[in-house]
Amino acid sequence: MDCIFCRIAAGEIPAQIVYQNEDVVAFRDVNPQSPVHVLVIPREHVQGPLALGDGHAALAGKLIAAAAEVARQEGIAESGYRLVMNEGRQAQQSVFHVHLHVLGGRPMHWPPG
Ligand code: 5GP
Ligand code: ZN
């Protein structure tokens, strides 16, 4: 298995895990872009959002629900947070195991860069 996020989910590579259940794992981004920057991933390997089909509808919902739980835990539920999922080259996806960025703890800008 050469996918770094599969290895984090399997406990083979250390990560600061903040939340997990049977379907998803959430851990702190190694290069945080905001005071709270957590990545939520499915335990199942899926390349990216483009590969999330109808068969993954429940799983996609679980990523968003887990992000809400992380936001409550991290104290940014009230102040607000941003969810980001990058697909492909122009969005600068760099890890090809789908992940939801949970960003918060500072004002966010719009449009995003
Ligand atoms: P992407 O650019 O693909 O949307 O996001 C990948 C994210 O994964 C980046 O924010 C990067 O900092 C993070 N990342 C890459 N490798 C590791 C790692 O080994 N551990 C952790 N915790 N985060 C990682
Ligand atoms: Zn993977």
Side-chain angles (χ1 to χ4, degrees):
M1 176 171 42
D2 61 358
C3 171
I4 193 160
F5 284 1
C6 279
R7 297 189 70 180
I8 286 175
E12 294 173 12
I13 290 180
Q16 287 185 45
I17 292 174
V18 297
Y19 175 81
Q20 57 184 319
N21 62 33
E22 65 176 352
D23 300 302
V24 310
V25 181
F27 52 93
R28 296 196 193 284
D29 195 295
V30 76
N31 181 24
Q33 302 302 310
S34 49
V36 176
H37 188 174
V38 170
L39 302 173
V40 185
I41 67 168
R43 292 188 184 277
E44 177 188 343
H45 181 87
V46 178
Q47 278 255 114
L50 188 64
L52 286 173
D54 272 353
H56 294 107
L59 188 58
K62 285 173 189 225
L63 294 176
I64 296 170
E69 190 51 43
V70 167
R72 283 184 209 102
Q73 257 181 230
E74 296 287 319
I76 56 168
E78 274 200 24
S79 52
Y81 57 96
R82 179 168 293 168
L83 301 180
V84 173
M85 201 179 262
N86 292 318
E87 169 65 44
R89 181 169 39 86
Q90 287 206 324
Q92 296 193 24
Q93 182 183 6
S94 61
V95 176
F96 295 89
H97 179 132
V98 71
H99 49 280
L100 191 57
H101 295 258
V102 184
L103 298 150
R106 66 167 170 81
M108 296 288 151
H109 305 290
W110 196 264

